[in-house]
Amino acid sequence: MPFFKSMGQLPRRQFSQFRQPDGAMYFEELTGHVGFFGDGTTMYHRNSPCAIKGAEEVKLAEPKMVSNQPLLPHHIRPKALSFVGDCVTGRIVLMGNDDLTMSYSISTNPSPLYRNMVGDELVFVDSGSARVESPFGVLLVRRGDYVVLPSGCTHRWVPQGDGPLSLLIVETTGHITFPEHYQTARGQFLSTAPFNELHLRGPEELLNFDERDVDILYKSRGGFTKYTMDTHPFDVVGWYGCMYPYALNIWDFSPVTGSFHRTPPIHQTFIGPKFIVMSFVPRKFEFDKEAMRTPPHHSNPDCDETLYYMSGNFRSRDGAGFDEGSMSLHPGGFTHGPQPENLERALSIDATQETAVMIDTFSPLKLSTEALKVQDPSYLKVWQRS
Ligand SMILES: [Fe+2]
């Protein structure tokens, strides 16, 4: 997050004596990415943030991943899976490669305290609402939010409201940024960008937990470890910096429309290590009287293309069966496009109400055996005619 934010009580300068009311010093913690050459934050704890009372390995079930061979398109329905537990330990991996995994989760239970040390997480709130608690405070999130959790940020998901919390979760192996062409050289959003700083929401209210012997689930490149810490990590009286969890709602993305078809880069929202996230939101169709109102047939040999259909009507091929909660995978180089009758039919429609999240990956995706259990076996038939 390249925008400075501060909250709570702070000393006059970094690395200085900053004392609590009883005269003891606060515990200053500097946390930053890329060996302190990247975004970072300085925070002030009431208690030492490094007092470990125990550590034990945790074995979570590993997903079984299968290569997409023979190379085929897929339609899966993640909501048909059986979910147990919470949105951290109960998430089910759908697809992945060496750069990222995509999981889905439906839960009502609060997650454990969780700290992913491998890479940032990008979580899309498909339905429900939650408090995301962290040392930076409380981030309230709702349906349609993208939530970016920087690596190393201890946090906890606490579902709110009556319905379950449904999440599409991208675990990365690096850091998530915005498309460079949306920003000035110094990082401010340009007026031509589809969203800007006004739409990015950070934590609001600081927390002050006094619990002792607090368990935190760490994810590292080697696996999972449960640390028992002497004191609670959410005891921060103030912080400042550019690394903290934040949210962007998909419906704050202002779509670009044109007289003729515009290709997917106009939907770019986030960039990660070897993947791009794009937002499709309700918008007018192409308006020139000679314009096609469907995408052309297309193939991109460099990217696997996934699309999660959140809500609305979907411009897809007849018989595809895409509905809210569907997820498609069109592998790199697979040519796909509209049927002849759809080319004509679309000419009488001037807008779409669809909301969907597209994730293009620059390495081939494998599918999990769980995802294959809820795939539509008839999807290939959609492509067995012109
Ligand atoms: Fe496509």
Side-chain angles (χ1 to χ4, degrees):
M1 176 80 160
F3 308 107
F4 180 86
K5 182 175 171 68
S6 66
M7 288 180 71
Q9 305 167 49
L10 298 171
R12 193 178 61 80
R13 64 157 297 155
Q14 196 174 29
F15 313 138
S16 64
Q17 297 169 31
F18 182 36
R19 294 185 184 277
Q20 308 193 33
D22 66 1
M25 289 213 203
Y26 285 113
F27 293 84
E28 186 176 48
E29 180 187 5
L30 171 61
T31 179
H33 288 157
V34 202
F36 302 112
F37 284 92
D39 292 342
T41 289
T42 299
M43 61 183 92
Y44 297 90
H45 294 270
R46 288 189 175 85
N47 303 297
S48 167
C50 65
I52 299 174
K53 296 186 79 174
E56 64 183 71
E57 187 178 12
V58 175
K59 292 283 187 193
L60 294 180
E62 293 218 2
K64 251 198 193 148
M65 306 302 289
V66 180
S67 293
N68 187 14
Q69 289 294 338
L71 196 66
L72 290 173
H74 292 271
H75 169 199
I76 62 173
R77 293 189 171 93
K79 290 181 180 179
L81 290 163
S82 299
F83 295 95
V84 293
D86 59 79
C87 69
V88 170
T89 62
R91 58 184 61 170
I92 298 177
V93 173
L94 306 171
M95 304 177 201
N97 57 30
D98 288 343
D99 309 313
L100 82 169
T101 59
M102 294 180 229
S103 310
Y104 201 83
S105 158
I106 300 177
S107 64
T108 53
N109 302 328
S111 78
L113 294 173
Y114 170 56
R115 181 169 173 138
N116 183 336
M117 308 297 289
V118 178
D120 296 351
E121 293 194 1
L122 175 73
V123 180
F124 182 69
V125 182
D126 191 18
S127 69
S129 56
R131 288 163 59 93
V132 180
E133 299 176 346
S134 74
F136 305 96
V138 178
L139 177 63
L140 296 173
V141 303
R142 60 181 186 269
R143 185 168 187 257
D145 275 349
Y146 292 104
V147 186
V148 176
L149 294 148
S151 63
C153 170
T154 304
H155 64 278
R156 166 167 60 195
W157 287 84
V158 184
Q160 305 283 290
D162 296 333
L165 181 66
S166 303
L167 305 174
L168 177 68
I169 301 153
V170 183
E171 292 176 48
T172 80
T173 49
H175 302 301
I176 292 167
T177 60
F178 302 110
E180 276 184 15
H181 61 282
Y182 288 172
Q183 295 175 300
T184 67
R186 293 169 66 89
Q188 183 177 5
F189 277 95
L190 295 163
S191 57
T192 50
F195 57 92
N196 65 25
E197 295 85 348
L198 278 176
H199 307 114
L200 305 175
R201 305 178 345 255
E204 289 172 8
E205 156 210 351
L206 286 170
L207 296 161
N208 181 18
F209 285 94
D210 286 327
E211 291 165 43
R212 310 298 292 253
D213 299 337
V214 178
D215 291 339
I216 304 176
L217 184 67
Y218 273 57
K219 179 186 174 186
S220 67
R221 284 179 171 79
F224 291 91
T225 302
K226 184 178 80 175
Y227 280 107
T228 302
M229 306 301 293
D230 185 29
T231 58
H232 204 292
F234 303 169
D235 66 345
V236 169
V237 296
W239 62 267
Y240 66 92
C242 295
M243 195 208 84
Y244 50 90
Y246 66 93
L248 166 69
N249 194 274
I250 194 169
W251 292 300
D252 282 331
F253 184 100
S254 177
V256 175
T257 57
S259 51
F260 289 87
H261 178 66
R262 309 297 299 270
T263 51
I266 60 159
H267 303 280
Q268 286 183 3
T269 311
F270 297 100
I271 306 289
K274 295 184 74 177
F275 70 92
I276 299 172
V277 178
M278 287 160 275
S279 301
F280 289 75
V281 293
R283 63 194 181 278
K284 291 282 189 188
F285 281 157
E286 298 76 12
F287 55 80
D288 190 282
K289 67 180 188 328
E290 293 186 5
M292 302 295 293
R293 286 181 169 170
T294 47
H297 283 76
H298 58 283
S299 69
N300 183 343
D302 292 331
C303 292
D304 274 16
E305 174 191 302
T306 69
L307 197 55
Y308 182 78
Y309 298 88
M310 181 198 194
S311 64
N313 56 324
F314 304 114
R315 277 197 298 174
S316 60
R317 287 175 70 88
D318 286 347
F322 290 145
D323 203 348
E324 294 182 0
S326 287
M327 189 168 187
S328 62
L329 165 62
H330 294 130
F334 177 81
T335 302
H336 50 291
Q339 291 146 322
E341 59 270 31
N342 283 347
L343 293 175
E344 296 292 344
R345 194 170 56 207
L347 297 178
S348 62
I349 305 169
D350 67 358
T352 174
Q353 295 303 312
E354 71 177 8
T355 299
V357 175
M358 178 184 270
I359 302 173
D360 279 3
T361 68
F362 288 85
S363 292
L365 288 162
K366 293 181 176 181
L367 290 130
S368 71
T369 51
E370 290 296 301
L372 292 173
K373 283 182 196 165
V374 291
Q375 74 165 330
D376 178 354
S378 65
Y379 184 53
L380 188 59
K381 289 196 184 121
V382 176
W383 299 104
Q384 290 173 337
R385 48 160 295 203
S386 65

